[in-house]
Amino acid sequence: MSPSRRSPQRPLVAWFDERLGLSAALDFLRQKTVPHHRSSVWYYFGGVSLFLFGVQVATGLLLLIYYKPTPEAGFESVRFIVAQVPFGWLIRSLHSWSANLMVLTVFVHLFSVYFMKAYRPPRELTWLTGFGLLGLTLAFGFSGYLLPWNELALFATKVGTDIVGSVPAVGHVLLRYVRGGDEVSGATLTRFFGWHVALLPALFTGLLGVHLLLVQRLGMSAPLRPTAETRGMPFFPGFIIRDAILWLGVLGVLLSLCTFMPWELGVKADPFASAPAGIRPEWYFTFLSQSLKYIPSNVLGIDGEVVGITASGLGGLFFLLVPFLDRRAARGQSSPLFTAIGVLVLLYMATMTALAYLKPY
């Protein structure tokens, strides 16, 4: 390009640079480095989760234009989106598939941080905010699953909220609050919609901002025992380009899933119909519901479901507080006990999930 053709751009770039400090930002990104080693591939799952959240927001805003959150119109509005709105089927499938992939990548990101002991000081708050984001991601999936108001969503929500009702002491109150009554009904749909499009996005965006600020402030954790292979990689352009290429790959996977396996709408929900055989909650909750199935109805005089929910809550509390429990990792030492616990938990979740699909109930 000749100088005469480049020259009109320079004042424009300088104008923006003077007001936004673009040069300073680029210099900062060039000087910033991230650890690069044989396990650094796990760093990218946080970025992939962020990308899928962006897909959720973009497709969710488009669906919001036509969706009507009532039992009478909810199912019909989704059918209208899929059948009548140009590319509506694609937008809906992108929203559903990206939601499931986001749950998966957030789980992978959390467990990779756990096994790399990246929660050790001074990154305790980064772990806590990340754990909170996992909880909000599951809440997104749970609340959004009911919105199409189809048969599968209705009865799966009944199963899922029954679990909420088993929480010791406050279970019944919590169940009525979540459902908006004793049964899954139009009131449940209305409040799930409100949580899904207003409350949860606000909480998630705020917590995500704090999480990213902490990652920026403290940087990415290096391995406990750096090897000769461990070195620093420039955040820009090295890490950013790899992240962008991976995002393009994920987008390709998403579009392939939507094209060859579009998300089914099913049949309209009928609250007075019998539950279809083999009904289960979403895949990321099936390990929990399957576990409750194997617990006796009465354990030492205590309701079996209460025992199961209490045990699950204590397990979640253990993972939440792991930065403060794993003192060996805090001292920079390996902690095989915590690694073994993580492996056992993963095996348990995979086994219970597989049993739920191989032995439907």
Side-chain angles (χ1 to χ4, degrees):
M1 185 179 290
S2 66
S4 59
R5 293 181 61 188
R6 286 199 307 267
S7 56
Q9 298 178 5
R10 290 179 174 172
L12 184 62
V13 172
W15 191 88
F16 277 106
D17 187 21
E18 183 179 358
R19 285 153 182 80
L20 302 177
L22 298 177
S23 298
L26 282 176
D27 288 342
F28 171 77
L29 293 176
R30 288 193 185 99
Q31 293 174 12
K32 180 180 172 62
T33 61
V34 297
H36 184 63
H37 47 86
R38 62 185 178 182
S39 301
S40 56
V41 63
W42 300 109
Y43 290 150
Y44 295 96
F45 279 90
V48 171
S49 303
L50 181 62
F51 170 73
L52 291 170
F53 176 64
V55 175
Q56 284 283 286
V57 172
T59 54
L61 288 173
L62 293 173
L63 293 173
L64 202 55
I65 295 173
Y66 295 98
Y67 179 70
K68 298 175 182 175
T70 65
E72 296 77 19
F75 181 84
E76 301 300 337
S77 64
V78 177
R79 183 155 63 183
F80 178 80
I81 291 170
V82 173
Q84 302 293 327
V85 176
F87 297 104
W89 65 273
L90 178 61
I91 299 300
R92 185 189 175 241
S93 283
L94 277 172
H95 194 72
S96 299
W97 276 115
S98 61
N100 281 270
L101 286 181
M102 182 177 167
V103 173
L104 178 64
T105 56
V106 170
F107 263 117
V108 173
H109 182 50
L110 185 94
F111 273 100
S112 65
V113 170
Y114 178 87
F115 286 120
M116 293 172 70
K117 317 295 183 191
Y119 51 72
R120 64 188 188 276
R123 295 178 178 81
E124 300 97 325
L125 290 176
T126 312
W127 171 266
L128 293 177
T129 53
F131 203 87
L133 289 172
L134 170 65
L136 290 175
T137 301
L138 296 177
F140 261 124
F142 188 62
S143 58
Y145 194 62
L146 180 65
L147 300 190
W149 197 246
N150 58 28
E151 183 183 58
L152 186 61
L154 175 69
F155 289 103
T157 302
K158 283 187 176 181
V159 174
T161 50
D162 280 342
I163 297 175
V164 174
S166 301
V167 174
V170 296
H172 183 65
V173 175
L174 202 56
L175 176 69
R176 283 184 55 82
Y177 175 73
V178 170
R179 288 182 173 176
D182 289 325
E183 300 292 336
V184 176
S185 63
T188 317
L189 178 64
T190 303
R191 61 183 54 199
F192 272 36
F193 175 74
W195 295 340
H196 193 73
V197 304
L199 179 63
L200 291 176
L203 292 175
F204 193 94
T205 303
L207 196 58
L208 177 64
V210 175
H211 187 71
L212 294 177
L213 184 65
L214 289 168
V215 172
Q216 167 58 39
R217 170 74 177 80
L218 301 171
M220 296 181 184
S221 174
L224 269 174
R225 295 178 177 175
T227 64
E229 302 171 349
T230 304
R231 61 184 187 279
M233 175 199 295
F235 184 77
F236 180 82
F239 189 81
I240 289 292
I241 286 179
R242 288 169 172 79
D243 230 2
I245 292 173
L246 191 57
W247 289 11
L248 284 174
V250 172
L251 182 60
V253 170
L254 266 178
L255 291 174
S256 300
L257 288 170
C258 295
T259 302
F260 298 108
M261 299 173 64
W263 203 264
E264 296 289 339
L265 179 56
V267 298
K268 187 174 181 177
D270 180 2
F272 300 104
S274 301
I279 196 71
R280 65 177 72 86
E282 276 283 67
W283 62 269
Y284 36 86
F285 289 123
T286 50
F287 79 94
L288 184 56
S289 61
Q290 189 71 10
S291 301
L292 295 177
K293 180 185 173 187
Y294 293 124
I295 298 177
S297 58
N298 191 292
V299 180
L300 301 176
I302 304 173
D303 185 273
E305 288 195 350
V306 172
V307 173
I309 294 298
T310 303
S312 301
L314 291 175
L317 186 63
F318 167 79
F319 273 90
L320 177 68
L321 299 178
V322 74
F324 310 101
L325 300 175
D326 189 356
R327 303 318 302 164
R328 288 181 60 86
R331 294 192 294 268
Q333 302 170 342
S334 62
S335 50
L337 175 61
F338 283 82
T339 301
I341 291 174
V343 171
L344 288 174
V345 168
L346 271 182
L347 289 175
Y348 177 79
M349 292 172 68
T351 303
M352 287 295 114
T353 302
L355 286 173
Y357 284 89
L358 294 174
K359 298 176 66 176
Y361 50 92

